[in-house]
Amino acid sequence: MSHSTVSAQLIEHAPCPGIEEAIGYEDGWQVRDGAHWLITREDTAIITRRIDPSRRRLFTEQHTWTTPAPGTRGYASPARGNLLFNGPDTLTSLAPDGTVLWTHEHPAWEDENLTQGACALTPDGRHVIATRCGLHSGDGYAGDVCVALDAHTGELLAQATMPAYSASYMLQHLATAPGPLLLSAAQGQEEYLALLVTFGSDGLSLSSCGVFDAPFTGSSSRTGDLLDLALGGEQLTRWKNDPSGTYRPAAEATAAATLPVSGQQFVLRPGYVDDHTVIAPTADKDNWAPERSTHYLLDSQTLQLRAEIAYPFPVSPDPIALGDGTWLTATGDEVFRWRAII
């Protein structure tokens, strides 16, 4: 299969201690209100960094927070100047000066090293969506729970039991900001949950876009189209929102038919570099955590192969597409921003 090669041009880089480890966590990269954030930890501190869309610098905003529950895992989420932190048994809202605005206690995860709740403001900023441990009873465990809270008071407004059990969760906004939240959950190595979450006058709604076990990896800032990746890496799918509000498959790319090297699969998080281009990392089959990967550019509409990316030096295997014509890689304690020279 013939394809061209394009060079990646380094346009920015900046120190970001702990980013190479953090990028693999559920909250290491987040889309919030149309902006991209990187979240790292240093001892008992959480550092949130907002990517500058103007490209004048890498980070346009940075804030350091004291971890509400030192020594424990937790999911930290920027929340319009505040911070949400979903720990093993408590969801906390923090003001910029560290003041605790409210807490929401919930049953503790049985194994906080294997499970992880998530949290995020809704795009209108009025509510918090979070996942947490459900109640255990004599009849067993019904499943993890998704909740909607008042963003100002922490009052519980609605909850729904999910078909997931002790999972590790991730919540993303659409790159267009309005619309449903993208909920993904890893259940061990071979099971995944992918749902769309909304909360409004009709209550808390959790639905799929036609698939159940393919995690979301990116969304388009112009159209709101979604990408999801089959758990085995054999297929990448674009989903389009029709006038009725239903997501339907609009394009598919199979690894066997699309990739130029036999035995490769899609891995990690393919995403929209811009309205016309998707970046897709690939690696040898059955290698979901490669030390290196090959990055390809695909047509955003058809998902057909356009080019292979050549870097001036080795980069990390998991690029983060920013939707503005650039993408990030993270190596050691440094973040690099790239664009393709076409």
Side-chain angles (χ1 to χ4, degrees), residues 249-261:
E252 295 177 344
T254 63
T258 305
L259 301 179
V261 178

Side-chain angles (χ1 to χ4, degrees), residues 77-243:
S77 177
R80 297 191 178 182
N82 297 330
L83 184 79
L84 298 169
F85 183 83
N86 199 355
D89 58 7
T90 305
L91 174 62
T92 305
S93 176
L94 293 173
D97 63 0
T99 301
V100 175
L101 301 174
W102 51 260
T103 61
H104 170 74
E105 296 183 356
H106 54 79
W109 297 106
E110 289 190 342
D111 188 342
E112 63 184 65
N113 293 316
L114 297 177
T115 56
Q116 174 67 69
C119 52
L121 279 182
T122 52
D124 62 10
R126 297 173 54 197
H127 305 105
V128 174
I129 300 298
T131 55
R132 61 171 177 78
C133 184
L135 291 173
H136 291 266
S137 67
D139 297 328
Y141 185 61
D144 301 342
V145 173
C146 182
V147 299
L149 310 172
D150 185 284
H152 300 290
T153 66
E155 177 188 0
L156 177 64
L157 302 176
Q159 64 181 41
T161 301
M162 298 180 292
Y165 306 88
S166 299
S168 291
Y169 292 93
M170 178 186 297
L171 274 167
Q172 297 285 22
H173 282 188
L174 290 172
T176 50
L181 274 68
L182 311 180
L183 174 65
S184 298
Q187 301 181 101
Q189 298 294 320
E190 298 180 354
E191 294 184 18
Y192 225 96
L193 174 75
L195 296 174
L196 305 173
V197 183
T198 57
F199 180 70
S201 58
D202 295 333
L204 182 63
S205 172
L206 287 77
S207 61
S208 69
C209 60
V211 295
F212 192 73
D213 62 351
F216 302 114
T217 65
S219 62
S220 167
S221 59
R222 182 178 64 87
T223 64
D225 290 359
L226 305 178
L227 294 174
D228 73 36
L229 180 58
L231 193 56
E234 70 277 3
Q235 181 171 293
L236 181 65
T237 304
R238 177 172 71 89
W239 295 81
K240 189 171 185 62
N241 195 357
D242 67 19

Side-chain angles (χ1 to χ4, degrees), residues 4 11 21 46 66 98 125 127 138 152 170 186 204 226 285 308 310 331-332 339:
S4 62
I11 56 175
E21 179 181 18
I46 299 169
T66 299
H127 305 105
H152 300 290
M170 178 186 297
L204 182 63
L226 305 178
K285 192 175 181 181
E308 180 178 343
T331 303
R339 66 183 174 193

Side-chain angles (χ1 to χ4, degrees), residues 47-65:
I47 300 92
T48 59
R49 295 177 174 89
R50 184 178 184 269
I51 305 299
D52 186 354
S54 72
R55 305 189 198 178
R56 288 193 296 267
R57 53 189 171 178
L58 193 50
F59 304 121
T60 187
E61 181 181 334
Q62 179 173 323
H63 194 86
T64 300
W65 311 78

